[in-house]
Amino acid sequence: MSRFRTKIELPDYEKKLDYRDKIVLMGSCFAESIGEKLTSRCFPVDVNPFGILYNPVSVGNSLELLMEEKKFKDKDIFFANGRWNSYHHHSRFSHQDKKICLEEINKRVTFGAEQLRQAGFLFITFGTAWVYENRDDEKVVSNCHKQPVKQFLRYRLNVDETVARWETLLTRLWEMNPGLQVIFTVSPIRHWKDGAHENQISKSVLFLVIETLLNRFEKVRITYFPSYEIVMDELRDYRFYAPDMVHLSDTAVDYIWERFSDVLITKDSLSIMNRVEKLRRATEHRPFDEHGKDYRLFLDNQLTQADKLMKQYPFLNIQDILEYFLRKLKE
């Protein structure tokens, strides 16, 4: 029988996600995509408390700030282009009001720090080995916030130095949270502005850093999920890309999520997840008559199912789904 694609063999992960585990995801757009899948299925997730991060230094800096539970102050932000910004944060945290900017930043740090201390899993997605260093203080920034190019020094990270930094960082993380499982992945999204060749070199640096770390720590503490390889080999076709031909299509993300779920979520949690997904789809149902008897019966049945699920699994947080059906019944 002919084979029309190469399929990536996924490892048998010793530790798998469970609804009882808190989960932190940090890194590039790919971390956001998987984070959204977990969030919509009501896993206890914190996704990118500093916003989207692309390089190992920025991710590492952010983890250190969470461990320290840093309190950001006026001196930690700057005003440019009509908004207050932080070099540690994505532009989603920028705001015209300084007070609101700091409040949102500190609220996410507080929540993220607590989540990290209690987390069973930390997913790290590296996107690029290229960094921008602020010439004023010689620190790598997470976002340039459209400041003049001459203000930054751009360079590619060194494998050995990055490994040394992350060895120290991982040791600190496990001292704080001994049961934390760290799962690395490399984003399958290409940084095309670097050029095809430079993008490949950049990704190679990331692979070497992760591989070295995997060889230096126990498998029960650190592992790898091959999202990059799945896209490059299993989804080797432009129909799996968005119109910009760089980012992934929804179909590609759904496929990676399917493979992720198969090997990284426990059987019990997969069963719960299927029931949560049905309830979530029910919230998207749009009837012909919102005030008709049939729709009222539908809502009442869904509310019963949600209530039954919460009683069966008290650790499960589907409060938003429950509140949706209650609100629609009262309308």
Side-chain angles (χ1 to χ4, degrees):
M1 183 176 178
S2 299
R3 293 179 63 189
F4 295 100
R5 64 172 178 164
T6 53
K7 191 166 184 178
I8 300 299
E9 294 299 323
L10 300 180
D12 182 18
Y13 294 92
E14 292 183 22
K15 187 177 178 182
K16 302 185 180 186
L17 277 69
D18 186 276
Y19 270 103
R20 297 173 180 83
D21 292 314
K22 286 184 169 58
I23 306 161
V24 177
L25 296 97
M26 295 180 70
S28 73
C29 301
F30 182 74
E32 298 264 312
S33 297
I34 296 300
E36 287 173 8
K37 296 288 187 185
L38 290 165
T39 301
S40 68
R41 289 155 179 80
C42 299
F43 281 87
V45 173
D46 186 20
V47 184
N48 276 335
F50 290 79
I52 298 170
L53 306 169
Y54 295 102
N55 68 79
V57 174
S58 292
V59 177
N61 288 343
S62 299
L63 282 168
E64 287 179 337
L65 292 171
L66 287 180
M67 285 190 281
E68 297 164 5
E69 201 166 340
K70 177 179 172 59
K71 179 76 172 178
F72 279 77
K73 300 178 181 178
D74 290 1
K75 64 182 177 63
D76 298 312
I77 60 176
F78 66 96
F79 190 76
N81 301 316
R83 299 195 299 174
W84 291 94
N85 312 277
S86 162
Y87 279 130
H88 287 290
H89 291 79
H90 187 267
S91 57
R92 71 174 64 154
F93 286 91
S94 300
H95 202 279
Q96 295 174 336
D97 188 305
K98 180 196 287 188
K99 183 180 179 182
I100 293 175
C101 176
L102 286 171
E103 283 179 351
E104 289 301 309
I105 285 173
N106 286 320
K107 183 170 69 175
R108 290 295 283 112
V109 168
T110 299
F111 180 79
E114 181 65 18
Q115 193 86 352
L116 185 61
R117 282 192 293 269
Q118 299 178 11
F121 290 87
L122 170 63
F123 284 87
I124 300 292
T125 302
F126 293 151
T128 180
W130 286 99
V131 300
Y132 288 84
E133 182 182 284
N134 192 338
R135 294 182 187 274
D136 292 340
D137 58 12
E138 298 183 345
K139 292 181 179 179
V140 170
V141 301
S142 297
N143 195 303
C144 295
H145 295 291
K146 299 182 179 178
Q147 294 305 288
V149 175
K150 63 182 180 180
Q151 187 174 327
F152 305 97
L153 173 64
R154 180 178 179 270
Y155 61 89
R156 192 174 61 233
L157 294 173
N158 172 282
V159 173
D160 291 339
E161 290 176 359
T162 307
V163 167
R165 170 79 187 281
W166 271 85
E167 276 189 301
T168 302
L169 182 59
L170 288 169
T171 300
R172 285 186 61 194
L173 276 168
W174 287 318
E175 287 173 353
M176 180 192 71
N177 183 348
L180 183 67
Q181 171 84 40
V182 180
I183 300 180
F184 283 101
T185 190
V186 173
S187 172
I189 299 169
R190 293 165 295 170
H191 285 246
W192 205 241
K193 65 180 181 181
D194 294 334
H197 181 63
E198 289 293 350
N199 172 73
Q200 289 299 96
I201 295 175
S202 170
K203 296 290 187 184
S204 297
V205 170
L206 302 178
F207 283 122
L208 287 170
V209 168
I210 293 171
E211 182 66 17
T212 306
L213 291 171
L214 290 173
N215 289 330
R216 292 190 185 179
F217 292 102
E218 299 174 74
K219 185 180 178 182
V220 293
R221 285 192 161 187
I222 181 172
T223 188
Y224 176 73
F225 179 77
S227 57
Y228 182 92
E229 293 84 344
I230 289 171
V231 171
M232 293 301 117
D233 285 285
E234 293 191 38
L235 307 181
R236 198 189 306 169
D237 193 303
Y238 274 109
R239 64 196 170 100
F240 294 112
Y241 285 82
D244 65 4
M245 296 294 120
V246 174
H247 290 83
L248 301 181
S249 68
D250 290 342
T251 302
V253 174
D254 288 344
Y255 180 79
I256 296 170
W257 165 251
E258 182 181 318
R259 300 225 62 200
F260 178 97
S261 302
D262 287 344
V263 296
L264 270 169
I265 299 178
T266 64
K267 288 184 179 180
D268 286 345
S269 287
L270 280 174
S271 177
I272 297 170
M273 189 177 80
N274 290 333
R275 293 169 66 181
V276 172
E277 285 181 305
K278 288 180 182 178
L279 289 168
R280 184 70 74 186
R281 285 195 296 271
T283 66
E284 298 169 358
H285 176 64
R286 297 294 175 262
F288 289 113
D289 182 3
E290 286 197 1
H291 302 288
K293 182 180 178 181
D294 288 344
Y295 185 53
R296 311 302 286 182
L297 287 171
F298 170 81
L299 291 172
D300 191 60
N301 178 58
Q302 297 304 317
L303 184 62
T304 300
Q305 295 302 318
D307 187 58
K308 183 188 297 184
L309 191 59
M310 286 184 71
K311 288 178 178 176
Q312 188 175 353
Y313 304 103
F315 53 83
L316 185 64
N317 183 8
I318 57 169
Q319 193 63 36
D320 65 322
I321 296 177
L322 195 71
E323 289 175 355
Y324 174 85
F325 294 125
L326 283 169
R327 186 172 66 254
K328 296 301 288 186
L329 280 167
K330 291 178 181 178
E331 290 179 356

